[in-house]
Amino acid sequence: MRQHNAQQPNHQPVADPLRELTRALQSMPTTELSTLQMRVLEELGIAEYVGRSGRAWVIRTVQKKTYDPATTFQTISEAHQRLKSAQAQLDGFKSAAEELGFESPSHVDAPTPYVFNIIFQQKASIEIVSDWKKTAADWELILGSIANATGHRAQDIAFVGGQSGSFILTLSAAPLVTKVLAVISKHIASIANDYLDFQLKRDELRRSRMMSDAIEKDLTRQEKDRRSEAKSTLMESIKKMLPDAKPEELNKLEKAIDRHIDFSEKGGEVDFLLPPAPDSEDEGIDEELAETVNELRDVIQDYRSEVEKTKLLTSKEEDDFDDG
């Protein structure tokens, strides 16, 4: 096929198959996966071929190969082979674990099914005791203020477990506490994406030699305004969610949001496990709880979409750098 294509004066793009492939990748339910589950795909070297990242990779590959069908087909086939190899690795690991007596748990062993991981990594990592002291104080403020504002106690948030490497703390809380934390995390991820958007604009203007001191100053002003607006929007959302919260609780919560933003900007992450959907056929179901859980599930998936967008923007920034 490659030889035949090379002999043709006009290379014909394989538009229809590529369109079907990008649509399939775009529609993959990757928001069903937690951050830690996505990390497994990253460790296997296949995360960039999956979901929206996979769609972006295919489009970049087609553009860089000048739409040569044979070369594009070969590159995509190699990626497909890596996906199959990774699937075989995961299947092999699962079989070996089952032979040793390990079983896939249907749920996390925690006081509630509303579980989240706090991931201390990059500049937010814990390396010495003083790091832990400051981090503990920050998260005591973040989680304590959320618990108080939702009518709960900080001591009701349970420690489930921890992992080494990038230190990971796994906690379990009431659904409303988890929902508020997820809403805050989603808005902070959106703020981070705004920052990356502005960085890409700056880079594009510098490459095109259109950047000036006046434009730089205006972009900085817009960025600060967007950040301030995003934080105000977040506080308004929380006030609507928690109409009974006291002013002093909201003031404390606003300080907690600043600590969360700082944690995120240093590279720390919060990873939420998707709780099981309420059984609508259960006659004894608590309607209010079911509504909260469904809203929590939606917020978690929205948050994961923002995290995925961050990876796409970061990838674009790296591509632009590579292209010079």
Side-chain angles (χ1 to χ4, degrees), residues 291-318:
E291 182 180 1
T292 299
V293 173
N294 283 326
E295 290 173 351
L296 171 59
R297 286 172 57 85
D298 289 341
V299 171
I300 289 174
Q301 292 186 316
D302 288 344
Y303 168 62
R304 290 176 178 176
S305 291
E306 289 292 342
V307 172
E308 191 172 8
K309 182 181 177 183
T310 302
K311 295 182 186 300
L312 287 169
L313 288 170
T314 304
S315 177
K316 186 178 188 308
E317 196 172 29
E318 291 170 352

Side-chain angles (χ1 to χ4, degrees), residues 29-316:
T30 50
T31 55
E32 296 286 332
L33 300 176
S34 69
T35 298
L36 295 181
Q37 288 170 329
M38 286 299 296
R39 277 194 182 182
V40 173
L41 302 186
E42 290 169 3
E43 289 294 324
L44 292 171
I46 59 170
E48 66 175 326
Y49 307 133
V50 176
R52 292 162 63 190
S53 295
R55 177 181 180 274
W57 177 84
V58 169
I59 292 172
R60 291 198 306 271
T61 299
V62 170
Q63 291 172 342
K64 287 183 178 179
K65 301 300 180 184
T66 61
Y67 225 174
D68 175 1
T71 310
T72 299
F73 177 78
Q74 180 184 7
T75 304
I76 292 176
S77 294
E78 289 171 356
H80 182 244
Q81 187 56 46
R82 284 194 282 272
L83 286 168
K84 290 175 67 177
S85 176
Q87 180 66 61
Q89 279 185 268
L90 291 172
D91 289 342
F93 177 78
K94 182 181 178 183
S95 297
E98 288 174 348
E99 287 178 7
L100 292 173
F102 291 98
E103 296 181 1
S104 299
S106 57
H107 65 281
V108 177
D109 186 14
T112 78
Y114 317 109
V115 177
F116 50 92
N117 300 296
I118 304 172
I119 306 171
F120 303 91
Q121 60 186 5
Q122 299 181 31
K123 293 181 180 179
S125 61
I126 298 172
E127 297 179 356
I128 56 178
V129 172
S130 58
D131 291 339
W132 173 245
K133 183 178 180 181
K134 181 184 183 308
T135 299
D138 287 346
W139 277 97
E140 182 181 16
L141 173 63
I142 294 168
L143 296 176
S145 61
I146 293 174
N148 292 335
T150 56
H152 293 84
R153 301 179 306 164
Q155 47 267 52
D156 293 333
I157 300 173
F159 173 77
V160 177
Q163 299 179 38
S164 59
S166 293
F167 184 70
I168 300 171
L169 190 65
T170 304
L171 302 171
S172 171
L176 186 55
V177 172
T178 309
K179 178 187 169 185
V180 172
L181 180 60
V183 168
I184 293 171
S185 299
K186 184 192 79 169
H187 277 77
I188 291 174
S190 179
I191 291 172
N193 289 336
D194 284 342
Y195 168 78
L196 288 171
D197 273 329
F198 278 106
Q199 284 298 101
L200 289 169
K201 286 178 184 177
R202 288 187 176 93
D203 293 342
E204 187 176 341
L205 287 167
R206 290 190 184 107
R207 281 196 306 274
S208 61
R209 300 180 184 276
M210 295 177 64
M211 179 62 86
S212 67
D213 290 342
I215 292 175
E216 176 71 52
K217 187 176 180 180
D218 187 56
L219 284 173
T220 301
R221 178 191 59 77
Q222 289 182 43
E223 187 177 353
K224 287 181 179 178
D225 289 347
R226 184 85 63 86
R227 186 187 182 101
S228 178
E229 289 169 7
K231 187 177 173 183
S232 296
T233 300
L234 171 55
M235 284 306 301
E236 288 303 315
S237 297
I238 290 175
K239 288 176 183 177
K240 289 179 181 178
M241 288 170 56
L242 308 174
D244 297 329
K246 300 173 183 176
E248 59 270 23
E249 292 173 339
L250 293 172
N251 289 337
K252 190 176 179 182
L253 190 52
E254 189 168 3
K255 293 178 182 177
I257 289 170
D258 289 333
R259 300 286 180 92
H260 195 333
I261 290 173
D262 182 60
F263 173 76
S264 299
E265 288 180 341
K266 289 178 179 177
E269 288 186 61
V270 183
D271 176 40
F272 297 87
L273 274 64
L274 199 65
D279 184 358
S280 58
E281 296 182 0
D282 182 0
E283 294 182 359
I285 192 170
D286 183 329
E287 296 291 344
E288 186 176 348
L289 174 61
E291 182 180 1
T292 299
V293 173
N294 283 326
E295 290 173 351
L296 171 59
R297 286 172 57 85
D298 289 341
V299 171
I300 289 174
Q301 292 186 316
D302 288 344
Y303 168 62
R304 290 176 178 176
S305 291
E306 289 292 342
V307 172
E308 191 172 8
K309 182 181 177 183
T310 302
K311 295 182 186 300
L312 287 169
L313 288 170
T314 304
S315 177
K316 186 178 188 308

